[in-house]
Amino acid sequence: MPNSNAKFHRGGREAGRRELVCRSLQSAQHCLEEQDFGTAYAHYLLVLNLAPELKASVKETFQFTLFKWAEELDSLARIQDLFNCYEQALELYPNDEVICNSMGEHLFRMGFRDEAAGYFHKAVKLNPDFADAKENFYRVANWLVERWHFIMLNDAKRNLTYLKAIENAVSSGCTSVLDIGTGTGILSMFAKKAGASCVYACELSKTMYELARDVVAANNMEREIKLLHLKSLDIEIPKHIPERVSLVVTETVDAGLFGEGIVESLIHAWEHLLLQPK
Protein backbone atom coordinates (compact mmCIF):
# COMPACT_ATOMS: atom_id res chain seq x y z
CA MET A 1 0.00 0.00 0.00
CA PRO A 2 2.71 2.59 0.82
CA ASN A 3 4.22 2.05 -2.63
CA SER A 4 0.82 2.45 -4.23
CA ASN A 5 0.24 5.71 -2.35
CA ALA A 6 3.65 7.06 -3.45
CA LYS A 7 2.91 6.23 -7.06
CA PHE A 8 -0.49 7.86 -6.75
CA HIS A 9 1.04 11.08 -5.37
CA ARG A 10 3.75 11.13 -8.04
CA GLY A 11 1.12 10.58 -10.69
CA GLY A 12 -0.97 13.37 -9.23
CA ARG A 13 1.96 15.78 -9.23
CA GLU A 14 2.81 14.91 -12.83
CA ALA A 15 -0.77 15.41 -13.90
CA GLY A 16 -0.81 18.77 -12.13
CA ARG A 17 2.39 19.81 -13.85
CA ARG A 18 1.04 18.89 -17.28
CA GLU A 19 -2.18 20.78 -16.57
CA LEU A 20 -0.29 23.90 -15.47
CA VAL A 21 1.97 23.74 -18.53
CA CYS A 22 -1.01 23.35 -20.84
CA ARG A 23 -2.88 26.27 -19.27
CA SER A 24 0.23 28.47 -19.35
CA LEU A 25 0.77 27.73 -23.04
CA GLN A 26 -2.84 28.64 -23.77
CA SER A 27 -2.52 31.83 -21.73
CA ALA A 28 0.72 32.74 -23.50
CA GLN A 29 -0.93 32.31 -26.90
CA HIS A 30 -3.90 34.41 -25.84
CA CYS A 31 -1.58 37.17 -24.58
CA LEU A 32 0.29 37.14 -27.90
CA GLU A 33 -2.98 37.61 -29.74
CA GLU A 34 -3.72 40.57 -27.46
CA GLN A 35 -0.15 41.83 -27.93
CA ASP A 36 0.45 41.61 -24.20
CA PHE A 37 4.06 40.52 -24.70
CA GLY A 38 5.21 40.97 -21.11
CA THR A 39 2.62 38.58 -19.70
CA ALA A 40 3.18 36.15 -22.59
CA TYR A 41 6.90 36.17 -21.84
CA ALA A 42 6.23 35.38 -18.16
CA HIS A 43 4.01 32.45 -19.15
CA TYR A 44 6.70 31.05 -21.46
CA LEU A 45 9.29 31.32 -18.70
CA LEU A 46 7.01 29.27 -16.46
CA VAL A 47 6.42 26.69 -19.19
CA LEU A 48 10.11 26.27 -19.98
CA ASN A 49 11.07 25.95 -16.34
CA LEU A 50 8.34 23.39 -15.68
CA ALA A 51 8.75 21.50 -18.95
CA PRO A 52 12.30 21.90 -20.35
CA GLU A 53 11.48 19.09 -22.78
CA LEU A 54 9.42 21.66 -24.71
CA LYS A 55 12.37 23.96 -25.42
CA ALA A 56 12.75 22.91 -29.03
CA SER A 57 9.06 23.08 -29.88
CA VAL A 58 8.41 26.55 -28.42
CA LYS A 59 11.80 28.07 -29.28
CA GLU A 60 10.72 30.25 -32.21
CA THR A 61 7.61 31.55 -30.46
CA PHE A 62 9.61 32.24 -27.31
CA GLN A 63 12.18 34.20 -29.34
CA PHE A 64 9.43 36.26 -30.99
CA THR A 65 7.88 37.00 -27.60
CA LEU A 66 11.23 37.94 -26.06
CA PHE A 67 12.11 40.31 -28.88
CA LYS A 68 8.71 42.05 -28.82
CA TRP A 69 8.81 42.43 -25.05
CA ALA A 70 12.39 43.72 -25.24
CA GLU A 71 11.31 46.37 -27.74
CA GLU A 72 8.65 47.57 -25.31
CA LEU A 73 11.09 47.63 -22.40
CA ASP A 74 13.56 49.55 -24.51
CA SER A 75 10.95 52.15 -25.48
CA LEU A 76 10.05 52.56 -21.80
CA ALA A 77 13.75 52.92 -20.86
CA ARG A 78 13.46 49.90 -18.55
CA ILE A 79 17.00 48.90 -19.37
CA GLN A 80 17.69 46.69 -16.37
CA ASP A 81 14.46 44.73 -16.96
CA LEU A 82 15.47 44.30 -20.61
CA PHE A 83 18.85 42.87 -19.66
CA ASN A 84 17.26 40.63 -17.03
CA CYS A 85 14.96 39.16 -19.69
CA TYR A 86 17.89 38.37 -21.97
CA GLU A 87 19.83 36.82 -19.11
CA GLN A 88 16.84 34.59 -18.32
CA ALA A 89 16.51 33.67 -21.99
CA LEU A 90 20.20 32.81 -22.29
CA GLU A 91 19.98 30.63 -19.20
CA LEU A 92 17.31 28.64 -21.01
CA TYR A 93 19.00 28.78 -24.43
CA PRO A 94 22.71 29.39 -23.72
CA ASN A 95 23.79 28.42 -27.24
CA ASP A 96 21.16 30.30 -29.20
CA GLU A 97 22.89 32.53 -31.74
CA VAL A 98 19.72 34.52 -32.51
CA ILE A 99 19.24 35.57 -28.88
CA CYS A 100 22.96 36.38 -28.54
CA ASN A 101 22.82 38.55 -31.65
CA SER A 102 19.69 40.37 -30.46
CA MET A 103 21.27 41.03 -27.06
CA GLY A 104 24.30 42.46 -28.85
CA GLU A 105 22.10 44.76 -30.94
CA HIS A 106 20.51 46.25 -27.83
CA LEU A 107 23.89 46.73 -26.17
CA PHE A 108 25.30 48.38 -29.28
CA ARG A 109 22.40 50.85 -29.53
CA MET A 110 22.92 51.77 -25.88
CA GLY A 111 26.60 52.48 -26.44
CA PHE A 112 28.02 49.32 -24.83
CA ARG A 113 30.03 48.46 -27.92
CA ASP A 114 32.67 46.27 -26.30
CA GLU A 115 30.02 44.14 -24.60
CA ALA A 116 27.98 44.03 -27.81
CA ALA A 117 31.00 42.73 -29.71
CA GLY A 118 31.24 39.84 -27.26
CA TYR A 119 27.68 38.72 -28.00
CA PHE A 120 28.08 39.16 -31.76
CA HIS A 121 31.30 37.17 -31.61
CA LYS A 122 29.59 34.38 -29.67
CA ALA A 123 26.73 34.31 -32.19
CA VAL A 124 29.18 33.96 -35.08
CA LYS A 125 31.06 31.22 -33.22
CA LEU A 126 27.80 29.34 -32.69
CA ASN A 127 26.78 29.73 -36.32
CA PRO A 128 29.50 30.90 -38.74
CA ASP A 129 26.87 31.23 -41.49
CA PHE A 130 24.68 33.65 -39.50
CA ALA A 131 24.86 36.66 -41.84
CA ASP A 132 23.26 39.20 -39.46
CA ALA A 133 25.67 38.36 -36.65
CA LYS A 134 28.69 38.55 -38.95
CA GLU A 135 27.60 41.94 -40.27
CA ASN A 136 27.01 43.20 -36.74
CA PHE A 137 30.37 41.93 -35.53
CA TYR A 138 32.25 43.59 -38.39
CA ARG A 139 30.31 46.81 -37.81
CA VAL A 140 31.15 47.01 -34.11
CA ALA A 141 34.74 45.96 -34.81
CA ASN A 142 35.13 49.08 -36.94
CA TRP A 143 34.31 51.10 -33.86
CA LEU A 144 36.58 49.20 -31.52
CA VAL A 145 39.60 48.06 -33.51
CA GLU A 146 41.62 51.20 -34.02
CA ARG A 147 42.80 51.90 -37.55
CA TRP A 148 46.43 52.00 -36.48
CA HIS A 149 46.26 48.27 -35.73
CA PHE A 150 45.85 47.55 -39.42
CA ILE A 151 48.58 50.02 -40.36
CA MET A 152 51.04 48.44 -37.93
CA LEU A 153 50.23 44.88 -38.96
CA ASN A 154 51.03 45.75 -42.56
CA ASP A 155 54.28 47.53 -41.67
CA ALA A 156 56.83 44.86 -42.58
CA LYS A 157 59.81 46.94 -41.46
CA ARG A 158 58.28 47.56 -38.05
CA ASN A 159 57.39 43.90 -37.57
CA LEU A 160 60.88 42.74 -38.53
CA THR A 161 62.44 45.21 -36.11
CA TYR A 162 60.27 43.96 -33.25
CA LEU A 163 60.96 40.33 -34.17
CA LYS A 164 64.75 40.83 -34.15
CA ALA A 165 64.64 42.74 -30.86
CA ILE A 166 62.57 40.02 -29.19
CA GLU A 167 64.79 37.27 -30.64
CA ASN A 168 67.88 39.04 -29.24
CA ALA A 169 66.30 39.38 -25.81
CA VAL A 170 65.15 35.76 -25.67
CA SER A 171 68.52 34.44 -26.88
CA SER A 172 70.15 36.52 -24.12
CA GLY A 173 68.19 34.60 -21.47
CA CYS A 174 64.81 36.33 -21.25
CA THR A 175 62.70 33.19 -21.47
CA SER A 176 59.51 34.40 -19.75
CA VAL A 177 57.63 37.22 -21.46
CA LEU A 178 54.67 39.46 -20.68
CA ASP A 179 53.01 41.32 -23.56
CA ILE A 180 51.09 44.37 -22.27
CA GLY A 181 48.19 45.43 -24.50
CA THR A 182 48.67 42.51 -26.83
CA GLY A 183 46.15 43.64 -29.47
CA THR A 184 46.21 40.93 -32.13
CA GLY A 185 48.85 38.96 -30.21
CA ILE A 186 51.64 39.47 -32.75
CA LEU A 187 54.39 40.32 -30.23
CA SER A 188 53.44 37.35 -28.07
CA MET A 189 53.71 35.05 -31.06
CA PHE A 190 57.09 36.59 -31.93
CA ALA A 191 58.26 35.77 -28.40
CA LYS A 192 57.06 32.20 -28.60
CA LYS A 193 58.61 31.65 -32.02
CA ALA A 194 61.85 33.09 -30.67
CA GLY A 195 61.96 30.32 -28.08
CA ALA A 196 60.48 31.85 -24.93
CA SER A 197 59.34 29.10 -22.60
CA CYS A 198 56.49 31.08 -20.98
CA VAL A 199 54.50 33.82 -22.72
CA TYR A 200 51.70 35.80 -21.10
CA ALA A 201 49.62 38.49 -22.78
CA CYS A 202 47.07 40.90 -21.32
CA GLU A 203 44.44 42.91 -23.17
CA LEU A 204 41.83 45.21 -21.64
CA SER A 205 39.53 45.48 -24.67
CA LYS A 206 37.12 42.55 -24.83
CA THR A 207 36.99 42.77 -28.61
CA MET A 208 40.76 42.76 -29.03
CA TYR A 209 41.07 39.96 -26.45
CA GLU A 210 38.66 37.79 -28.44
CA LEU A 211 40.48 38.70 -31.66
CA ALA A 212 43.82 37.75 -30.11
CA ARG A 213 42.38 34.40 -29.03
CA ASP A 214 41.30 33.69 -32.59
CA VAL A 215 44.64 34.77 -34.07
CA VAL A 216 46.65 32.76 -31.55
CA ALA A 217 44.46 29.70 -32.10
CA ALA A 218 44.78 30.05 -35.88
CA ASN A 219 48.54 29.86 -35.39
CA ASN A 220 48.23 26.78 -33.13
CA MET A 221 49.62 28.60 -30.09
CA GLU A 222 46.57 28.64 -27.82
CA ARG A 223 48.29 26.22 -25.40
CA GLU A 224 51.57 28.11 -25.45
CA ILE A 225 50.42 31.69 -24.90
CA LYS A 226 48.29 32.53 -21.87
CA LEU A 227 45.89 35.36 -22.72
CA LEU A 228 44.45 37.47 -19.91
CA HIS A 229 41.45 39.77 -20.29
CA LEU A 230 42.87 42.20 -17.77
CA LYS A 231 44.39 45.61 -17.38
CA SER A 232 48.11 45.17 -16.76
CA LEU A 233 47.80 47.03 -13.45
CA ASP A 234 45.42 44.32 -12.22
CA ILE A 235 47.75 41.37 -12.87
CA GLU A 236 48.69 39.59 -9.65
CA ILE A 237 51.30 36.95 -8.87
CA PRO A 238 50.62 34.03 -8.54
CA LYS A 239 46.90 34.51 -9.21
CA HIS A 240 47.27 35.33 -12.91
CA ILE A 241 50.88 34.48 -13.71
CA PRO A 242 52.98 32.13 -11.56
CA GLU A 243 56.07 34.33 -11.16
CA ARG A 244 57.82 37.46 -12.34
CA VAL A 245 58.79 37.55 -16.00
CA SER A 246 62.20 38.36 -17.44
CA LEU A 247 60.95 40.45 -20.37
CA VAL A 248 58.07 42.89 -20.92
CA VAL A 249 57.06 43.87 -24.45
CA THR A 250 54.45 46.45 -25.36
CA GLU A 251 53.36 48.82 -28.07
CA THR A 252 50.57 50.68 -26.32
CA VAL A 253 51.07 54.06 -27.91
CA ASP A 254 48.14 56.06 -29.35
CA ALA A 255 45.52 57.29 -26.82
CA GLY A 256 46.52 54.55 -24.38
CA LEU A 257 49.44 56.77 -23.37
CA PHE A 258 46.94 59.01 -21.58
CA GLY A 259 43.95 56.71 -20.96
CA GLU A 260 45.19 53.20 -20.19
CA GLY A 261 48.28 54.74 -18.62
CA ILE A 262 51.30 53.19 -20.31
CA VAL A 263 53.71 54.92 -17.92
CA GLU A 264 51.88 53.51 -14.90
CA SER A 265 51.67 50.10 -16.60
CA LEU A 266 55.41 49.96 -17.19
CA ILE A 267 56.20 51.13 -13.66
CA HIS A 268 53.87 48.45 -12.30
CA ALA A 269 55.49 45.83 -14.54
CA TRP A 270 58.95 46.88 -13.39
CA GLU A 271 58.08 46.87 -9.69
CA HIS A 272 55.80 43.85 -9.49
CA LEU A 273 55.98 41.65 -12.59
CA LEU A 274 59.52 41.93 -13.97
CA LEU A 275 62.54 40.13 -12.54
CA GLN A 276 64.92 42.67 -11.03
CA PRO A 277 68.59 42.68 -12.10
CA LYS A 278 70.93 41.33 -9.50
Side-chain angles (χ1 to χ4, degrees), residues 27-50:
S27 296
Q29 187 59 44
H30 175 72
C31 290
L32 286 178
E33 293 170 359
E34 298 296 320
Q35 297 190 345
D36 182 359
F37 299 113
T39 307
Y41 176 76
H43 280 297
Y44 277 119
L45 281 184
L46 178 61
V47 168
L48 290 169
N49 279 286
L50 286 175

mmCIF file of all heavy atoms in Angstrom, residues 27-50:
data_model
loop_
_atom_site.group_PDB
_atom_site.id
_atom_site.type_symbol
_atom_site.label_atom_id
_atom_site.label_comp_id
_atom_site.label_asym_id
_atom_site.label_seq_id
_atom_site.Cartn_x
_atom_site.Cartn_y
_atom_site.Cartn_z
ATOM 1 N N SER A 27 -2.513 30.437 -22.173
ATOM 2 C CA SER A 27 -2.517 31.830 -21.735
ATOM 3 C C SER A 27 -1.484 32.642 -22.507
ATOM 4 O O SER A 27 -1.736 33.792 -22.887
ATOM 5 C CB SER A 27 -2.217 31.917 -20.232
ATOM 6 O OG SER A 27 -3.233 31.285 -19.482
ATOM 7 N N ALA A 28 -0.323 32.042 -22.751
ATOM 8 C CA ALA A 28 0.722 32.737 -23.503
ATOM 9 C C ALA A 28 0.238 33.061 -24.915
ATOM 10 O O ALA A 28 0.445 34.180 -25.420
ATOM 11 C CB ALA A 28 1.988 31.885 -23.549
ATOM 12 N N GLN A 29 -0.422 32.092 -25.548
ATOM 13 C CA GLN A 29 -0.927 32.306 -26.905
ATOM 14 C C GLN A 29 -1.988 33.399 -26.925
ATOM 15 O O GLN A 29 -2.010 34.251 -27.817
ATOM 16 C CB GLN A 29 -1.499 30.998 -27.454
ATOM 17 C CG GLN A 29 -1.892 31.069 -28.916
ATOM 18 C CD GLN A 29 -0.728 31.425 -29.824
ATOM 19 O OE1 GLN A 29 0.361 30.894 -29.673
ATOM 20 N NE2 GLN A 29 -0.955 32.339 -30.760
ATOM 21 N N HIS A 30 -2.865 33.380 -25.937
ATOM 22 C CA HIS A 30 -3.905 34.407 -25.836
ATOM 23 C C HIS A 30 -3.273 35.793 -25.659
ATOM 24 O O HIS A 30 -3.702 36.765 -26.291
ATOM 25 C CB HIS A 30 -4.840 34.104 -24.663
ATOM 26 C CG HIS A 30 -5.865 35.166 -24.419
ATOM 27 N ND1 HIS A 30 -6.943 35.383 -25.251
ATOM 28 C CD2 HIS A 30 -5.957 36.116 -23.436
ATOM 29 C CE1 HIS A 30 -7.659 36.379 -24.809
ATOM 30 N NE2 HIS A 30 -7.087 36.845 -23.702
ATOM 31 N N CYS A 31 -2.254 35.885 -24.813
ATOM 32 C CA CYS A 31 -1.580 37.167 -24.583
ATOM 33 C C CYS A 31 -0.897 37.669 -25.852
ATOM 34 O O CYS A 31 -0.885 38.875 -26.125
ATOM 35 C CB CYS A 31 -0.552 37.028 -23.458
ATOM 36 S SG CYS A 31 -1.290 36.810 -21.823
ATOM 37 N N LEU A 32 -0.332 36.748 -26.634
ATOM 38 C CA LEU A 32 0.288 37.145 -27.895
ATOM 39 C C LEU A 32 -0.751 37.730 -28.849
ATOM 40 O O LEU A 32 -0.496 38.730 -29.527
ATOM 41 C CB LEU A 32 0.991 35.956 -28.549
ATOM 42 C CG LEU A 32 2.312 35.503 -27.914
ATOM 43 C CD1 LEU A 32 2.861 34.294 -28.655
ATOM 44 C CD2 LEU A 32 3.338 36.639 -27.935
ATOM 45 N N GLU A 33 -1.916 37.099 -28.883
ATOM 46 C CA GLU A 33 -2.985 37.610 -29.737
ATOM 47 C C GLU A 33 -3.422 39.003 -29.301
ATOM 48 O O GLU A 33 -3.797 39.837 -30.139
ATOM 49 C CB GLU A 33 -4.169 36.645 -29.714
ATOM 50 C CG GLU A 33 -3.865 35.296 -30.366
ATOM 51 C CD GLU A 33 -4.960 34.281 -30.128
ATOM 52 O OE1 GLU A 33 -5.951 34.628 -29.433
ATOM 53 O OE2 GLU A 33 -4.835 33.145 -30.628
ATOM 54 N N GLU A 34 -3.349 39.262 -27.998
ATOM 55 C CA GLU A 34 -3.719 40.570 -27.455
ATOM 56 C C GLU A 34 -2.532 41.540 -27.432
ATOM 57 O O GLU A 34 -2.655 42.661 -26.960
ATOM 58 C CB GLU A 34 -4.263 40.409 -26.029
ATOM 59 C CG GLU A 34 -5.528 39.570 -25.925
ATOM 60 C CD GLU A 34 -6.692 40.227 -26.641
ATOM 61 O OE1 GLU A 34 -6.819 41.469 -26.533
ATOM 62 O OE2 GLU A 34 -7.472 39.503 -27.301
ATOM 63 N N GLN A 35 -1.383 41.057 -27.916
ATOM 64 C CA GLN A 35 -0.145 41.833 -27.927
ATOM 65 C C GLN A 35 0.288 42.256 -26.524
ATOM 66 O O GLN A 35 0.911 43.316 -26.332
ATOM 67 C CB GLN A 35 -0.270 43.054 -28.843
ATOM 68 C CG GLN A 35 -0.495 42.685 -30.299
ATOM 69 C CD GLN A 35 -0.387 43.872 -31.241
ATOM 70 O OE1 GLN A 35 -0.413 45.022 -30.808
ATOM 71 N NE2 GLN A 35 -0.240 43.593 -32.514
ATOM 72 N N ASP A 36 -0.013 41.419 -25.571
ATOM 73 C CA ASP A 36 0.455 41.610 -24.199
ATOM 74 C C ASP A 36 1.735 40.786 -24.050
ATOM 75 O O ASP A 36 1.740 39.694 -23.480
ATOM 76 C CB ASP A 36 -0.616 41.150 -23.201
ATOM 77 C CG ASP A 36 -0.210 41.372 -21.753
ATOM 78 O OD1 ASP A 36 0.914 41.874 -21.520
ATOM 79 O OD2 ASP A 36 -0.997 41.020 -20.853
ATOM 80 N N PHE A 37 2.826 41.312 -24.576
ATOM 81 C CA PHE A 37 4.056 40.521 -24.704
ATOM 82 C C PHE A 37 4.729 40.257 -23.359
ATOM 83 O O PHE A 37 5.345 39.207 -23.176
ATOM 84 C CB PHE A 37 5.021 41.229 -25.654
ATOM 85 C CG PHE A 37 4.472 41.409 -27.036
ATOM 86 C CD1 PHE A 37 4.191 42.678 -27.528
ATOM 87 C CD2 PHE A 37 4.199 40.301 -27.836
ATOM 88 C CE1 PHE A 37 3.676 42.847 -28.803
ATOM 89 C CE2 PHE A 37 3.674 40.457 -29.112
ATOM 90 C CZ PHE A 37 3.412 41.730 -29.606
ATOM 91 N N GLY A 38 4.594 41.186 -22.416
ATOM 92 C CA GLY A 38 5.212 40.974 -21.114
ATOM 93 C C GLY A 38 4.612 39.783 -20.380
ATOM 94 O O GLY A 38 5.327 38.950 -19.830
ATOM 95 N N THR A 39 3.288 39.698 -20.372
ATOM 96 C CA THR A 39 2.620 38.579 -19.705
ATOM 97 C C THR A 39 2.875 37.274 -20.458
ATOM 98 O O THR A 39 3.093 36.214 -19.846
ATOM 99 C CB THR A 39 1.111 38.837 -19.596
ATOM 100 O OG1 THR A 39 0.886 40.113 -18.977
ATOM 101 C CG2 THR A 39 0.439 37.754 -18.774
ATOM 102 N N ALA A 40 2.889 37.349 -21.796
ATOM 103 C CA ALA A 40 3.184 36.152 -22.590
ATOM 104 C C ALA A 40 4.580 35.642 -22.282
ATOM 105 O O ALA A 40 4.798 34.429 -22.136
ATOM 106 C CB ALA A 40 3.056 36.474 -24.074
ATOM 107 N N TYR A 41 5.527 36.565 -22.160
ATOM 108 C CA TYR A 41 6.899 36.168 -21.839
ATOM 109 C C TYR A 41 6.955 35.470 -20.485
ATOM 110 O O TYR A 41 7.633 34.441 -20.324
ATOM 111 C CB TYR A 41 7.796 37.408 -21.839
ATOM 112 C CG TYR A 41 9.214 37.122 -21.436
ATOM 113 C CD1 TYR A 41 10.104 36.510 -22.314
ATOM 114 C CD2 TYR A 41 9.673 37.458 -20.166
ATOM 115 C CE1 TYR A 41 11.406 36.238 -21.937
ATOM 116 C CE2 TYR A 41 10.973 37.190 -19.785
ATOM 117 C CZ TYR A 41 11.839 36.587 -20.671
ATOM 118 O OH TYR A 41 13.120 36.309 -20.288
ATOM 119 N N ALA A 42 6.244 35.999 -19.494
ATOM 120 C CA ALA A 42 6.227 35.384 -18.161
ATOM 121 C C ALA A 42 5.656 33.973 -18.216
ATOM 122 O O ALA A 42 6.158 33.054 -17.553
ATOM 123 C CB ALA A 42 5.417 36.260 -17.204
ATOM 124 N N HIS A 43 4.593 33.793 -19.014
ATOM 125 C CA HIS A 43 4.009 32.450 -19.150
ATOM 126 C C HIS A 43 5.009 31.483 -19.799
ATOM 127 O O HIS A 43 5.132 30.327 -19.370
ATOM 128 C CB HIS A 43 2.729 32.511 -19.976
ATOM 129 C CG HIS A 43 1.526 32.968 -19.204
ATOM 130 N ND1 HIS A 43 1.020 32.273 -18.133
ATOM 131 C CD2 HIS A 43 0.716 34.065 -19.369
ATOM 132 C CE1 HIS A 43 -0.040 32.894 -17.659
ATOM 133 N NE2 HIS A 43 -0.246 33.994 -18.385
ATOM 134 N N TYR A 44 5.719 31.933 -20.815
ATOM 135 C CA TYR A 44 6.696 31.051 -21.463
ATOM 136 C C TYR A 44 7.847 30.693 -20.524
ATOM 137 O O TYR A 44 8.369 29.567 -20.567
ATOM 138 C CB TYR A 44 7.227 31.683 -22.748
ATOM 139 C CG TYR A 44 6.316 31.449 -23.926
ATOM 140 C CD1 TYR A 44 5.728 32.527 -24.595
ATOM 141 C CD2 TYR A 44 6.015 30.161 -24.366
ATOM 142 C CE1 TYR A 44 4.872 32.320 -25.665
ATOM 143 C CE2 TYR A 44 5.158 29.940 -25.429
ATOM 144 C CZ TYR A 44 4.594 31.025 -26.077
ATOM 145 O OH TYR A 44 3.735 30.809 -27.135
ATOM 146 N N LEU A 45 8.259 31.646 -19.690
ATOM 147 C CA LEU A 45 9.292 31.325 -18.702
ATOM 148 C C LEU A 45 8.824 30.213 -17.774
ATOM 149 O O LEU A 45 9.583 29.281 -17.463
ATOM 150 C CB LEU A 45 9.631 32.564 -17.872
ATOM 151 C CG LEU A 45 10.565 33.614 -18.476
ATOM 152 C CD1 LEU A 45 10.842 34.709 -17.450
ATOM 153 C CD2 LEU A 45 11.874 32.985 -18.937
ATOM 154 N N LEU A 46 7.573 30.303 -17.339
ATOM 155 C CA LEU A 46 7.009 29.275 -16.463
ATOM 156 C C LEU A 46 6.985 27.925 -17.178
ATOM 157 O O LEU A 46 7.390 26.896 -16.624
ATOM 158 C CB LEU A 46 5.604 29.679 -16.019
ATOM 159 C CG LEU A 46 4.861 28.663 -15.125
ATOM 160 C CD1 LEU A 46 5.620 28.431 -13.829
ATOM 161 C CD2 LEU A 46 3.442 29.155 -14.842
ATOM 162 N N VAL A 47 6.510 27.929 -18.415
ATOM 163 C CA VAL A 47 6.424 26.692 -19.190
ATOM 164 C C VAL A 47 7.794 26.038 -19.339
ATOM 165 O O VAL A 47 7.965 24.835 -19.114
ATOM 166 C CB VAL A 47 5.813 26.966 -20.580
ATOM 167 C CG1 VAL A 47 6.000 25.756 -21.497
ATOM 168 C CG2 VAL A 47 4.339 27.305 -20.451
ATOM 169 N N LEU A 48 8.791 26.832 -19.711
ATOM 170 C CA LEU A 48 10.115 26.274 -19.984
ATOM 171 C C LEU A 48 10.813 25.809 -18.715
ATOM 172 O O LEU A 48 11.650 24.892 -18.769
ATOM 173 C CB LEU A 48 10.971 27.317 -20.705
ATOM 174 C CG LEU A 48 10.524 27.598 -22.142
ATOM 175 C CD1 LEU A 48 11.229 28.832 -22.702
ATOM 176 C CD2 LEU A 48 10.794 26.395 -23.030
ATOM 177 N N ASN A 49 10.496 26.416 -17.600
ATOM 178 C CA ASN A 49 11.068 25.947 -16.340
ATOM 179 C C ASN A 49 10.380 24.686 -15.836
ATOM 180 O O ASN A 49 11.019 23.828 -15.233
ATOM 181 C CB ASN A 49 10.992 27.050 -15.280
ATOM 182 C CG ASN A 49 12.113 28.067 -15.423
ATOM 183 O OD1 ASN A 49 13.262 27.777 -15.088
ATOM 184 N ND2 ASN A 49 11.795 29.243 -15.924
ATOM 185 N N LEU A 50 9.082 24.584 -16.098
ATOM 186 C CA LEU A 50 8.337 23.389 -15.678
ATOM 187 C C LEU A 50 8.519 22.229 -16.647
ATOM 188 O O LEU A 50 8.494 21.065 -16.249
ATOM 189 C CB LEU A 50 6.844 23.719 -15.557
ATOM 190 C CG LEU A 50 6.396 24.556 -14.367
ATOM 191 C CD1 LEU A 50 4.919 24.888 -14.490
ATOM 192 C CD2 LEU A 50 6.672 23.822 -13.056
#
